[in-house]
Amino acid sequence: MNTEKIISCERNGLEKITNFRLPYIFRIVGIAIAAISILMMFVRAFAIDGDTEWLKLLLQKTLLIGMLFMSVSRDKQEDELTIKLRMQSYGWAFMVGVVYTLVMPYVEFGVSNVVHSGGEAYKDLGDFQVLLFMLMVQLMCYHTLKRYR
């Protein structure tokens, strides 16, 4: 009996995490945050001189937050199919993100050696690049799956 209560409690906790969705308004907030972040990245790149590394990091983090809001917010009409499609898109994003993380450094290394022919050093991907890629894949897969349902 005690084991069944523990299993039930664990199942309920996992279902809460799996079914977590922000209200629809957060999709609009996420789009606004992402758009402002991208706009500010262009402003920083072309109009602001000086040491603005802190601003670059801040804008990267806010872009990820905006995309995360877009990813976990509800649709206007949410049903079991859209929930299933969302889970499939998370699975695709994870698999493609792992392959991207494993393959891309070697591609970048090869291309940089061909272009510069000076023995470029091997570089790992940063966390921002991997997270941005995975969120973009998830959002694109979800909207594509939703369109062709």
Side-chain angles (χ1 to χ4, degrees):
M1 181 83 160
N2 193 17
T3 306
E4 291 176 14
K5 286 183 181 180
I6 293 172
I7 292 172
S8 175
C9 182
E10 290 294 321
R11 182 178 297 124
N12 289 340
L14 285 173
E15 285 178 4
K16 283 182 184 179
I17 292 171
T18 304
N19 296 328
F20 174 76
R21 300 283 178 273
L22 293 172
Y24 177 75
I25 191 72
F26 279 92
R27 177 176 305 266
I28 298 164
V29 171
I31 291 170
I33 290 172
I36 291 169
S37 296
I38 292 170
L39 180 69
M40 289 302 295
M41 285 178 181
F42 281 114
V43 168
R44 179 195 162 269
F46 297 114
I48 299 176
D49 292 331
D51 184 26
T52 57
E53 190 65 27
W54 63 272
L55 183 59
K56 176 184 172 186
L57 294 174
L58 178 69
L59 292 172
Q60 287 177 346
K61 303 303 182 203
T62 55
L63 177 61
L64 289 176
I65 290 169
M67 291 180 73
L68 183 64
F69 280 176
M70 292 170 15
S71 177
V72 298
S73 63
R74 293 183 188 273
D75 286 342
K76 279 188 178 179
Q77 296 174 354
E78 185 112 359
D79 58 3
E80 292 84 14
L81 180 60
T82 58
I83 292 170
K84 182 179 184 229
L85 295 177
R86 187 183 310 269
M87 290 302 129
Q88 284 179 341
S89 69
Y90 282 127
W92 276 104
F94 178 76
M95 289 185 290
V96 171
V98 168
V99 170
Y100 175 79
T101 304
L102 293 174
V103 172
M104 193 59 192
Y106 296 109
V107 171
E108 195 173 301
F109 176 72
V111 169
S112 66
N113 279 332
V114 168
V115 170
H116 294 116
S117 68
E120 292 287 321
Y122 173 84
K123 292 181 265 181
D124 258 342
L125 298 177
D127 57 346
F128 171 74
Q129 190 173 355
V130 173
L131 290 173
L132 179 71
F133 181 77
M134 288 177 73
L135 281 168
M136 287 188 338
V137 168
Q138 189 274 325
L139 290 169
M140 288 189 296
C141 282
Y142 177 62
H143 289 290
T144 303
L145 288 170
K146 210 168 64 168
R147 187 176 335 140
Y148 294 118
R149 59 180 160 161

